Amino acid sequence: MADYKKMYLTMFNATEDAINALENVRQALINAQRECEELYISGPAQDKESEGGGMAAPAAT
């Protein structure tokens, strides 16, 4: 006879492990984004002015 309790617990535990792993990845990405934002904010002002995104402003009509 199939051991449904063991199958359920195996799947449940694997799901919990996967959710925890994804949360760790999510937090690592958030931390990296925050670190990059801090580096950008604390960088020289002249770099920010020259980074117009490579697009010219639309001409006024």
Side-chain angles (χ1 to χ4, degrees):
M1 178 175 233
D3 187 350
Y4 291 105
K5 182 177 180 178
K6 184 175 181 179
M7 287 189 286
Y8 171 81
L9 291 174
T10 299
M11 185 59 72
F12 180 84
N13 289 330
T15 301
E16 286 292 312
D17 291 345
I19 290 170
N20 290 334
L22 289 171
E23 180 57 31
N24 290 339
V25 169
R26 178 182 167 275
Q27 194 58 52
L29 290 170
I30 289 170
N31 291 342
Q33 179 182 8
R34 288 179 179 159
E35 184 177 349
C36 289
E37 290 170 349
E38 287 298 321
L39 289 169
Y40 178 79
I41 290 169
S42 64
Q46 66 188 24
D47 288 346
K48 294 173 195 156
E49 292 172 8
S50 65
E51 292 179 4
M55 297 178 66
T61 56

